[in-house]
Structure formats: C-alpha cells, structure tokens
Amino acid sequence: MTLETFLLLAAALFCVGLFGALSQQSIVMLMMGLELMVNGVVVAAAGFWHWVSPGMPDGQVLVLVAITVMALEMAMGFAVVTALFRARDVDMTDDAGELRG
C-alpha cells in the first residue's frame, strides 16, 4: 500500500466523522463522529510512520497506545452520557447545554 492510500482512507474517515459530528444532535452520535475523526488521524499517523521508517515497530506501539486511550475516552464518555440520561432524561446536545450551573 502506498502513502496516498493511507491518506485517502484517513481523509475519508475524518470527513465522515466531521459530517457525523456536525449533523447529529444525539450525544452518542456526536461521540461516534468524534471517534471517527480521531481514527482518521491515527490512520494518517500510522501511514506516515510506515512511510518514514517501515522496519521500526515504534509506530505500531504508538498506534496501539492511541487506540487504547481512545477506547478509555469513549468508555468514560458513554458513562457520563448514561449517568446524565438516568439523572435528568437528557440525550440531546441542546438539552445538555442547558444544564450548566
């Protein structure tokens, strides 16, 4: 695979995630769009790393760490959304914005 293929895939993931994040009002769908955008950045970083030093495993370790951090971030985000929904029956971004103290 060439660098252009990785960058095309990364751009497609980022664009789909951006559209999803900007067009949805559900908090869960917004988080899924943000996750796709971060995945696009990770794919681009992995493609660049493979292009710069193809024999070194450093890029693979960095990608694994980034994916682990993304999984933890999404788990925490879903926990907050679930707690918010259970406490106040809020699942849309407009309603959640009115909860400021």
Side-chain angles (χ1 to χ4, degrees):
M1 291 183 68
T2 63
L3 179 61
E4 290 83 16
T5 308
F6 281 113
L7 294 181
L8 258 160
L9 176 64
L13 281 172
F14 191 86
C15 289
V16 169
L18 183 63
F19 176 75
L22 293 178
S23 67
Q24 300 296 321
Q25 289 188 353
S26 171
I27 297 173
V28 174
M29 295 300 288
L30 174 74
M31 290 174 54
M32 289 174 70
L34 293 174
E35 185 74 17
L36 278 174
M37 291 169 62
V38 173
N39 280 330
V41 170
V42 167
V43 168
F48 275 122
W49 201 283
H50 179 72
W51 185 65
V52 169
S53 59
M56 302 297 290
D58 298 340
Q60 295 173 0
V61 172
L62 181 66
V63 167
L64 286 176
V65 168
I67 289 173
T68 304
V69 169
M70 287 179 357
L72 290 171
E73 172 255 334
M74 287 304 288
M76 293 299 295
F78 280 127
V80 168
V81 169
T82 303
L84 185 62
F85 182 75
R86 287 183 179 173
R88 306 247 174 115
D89 199 28
V90 171
D91 63 344
M92 297 294 179
T93 55
D94 295 338
D95 298 335
E98 296 171 358
L99 296 176
R100 290 184 220 168

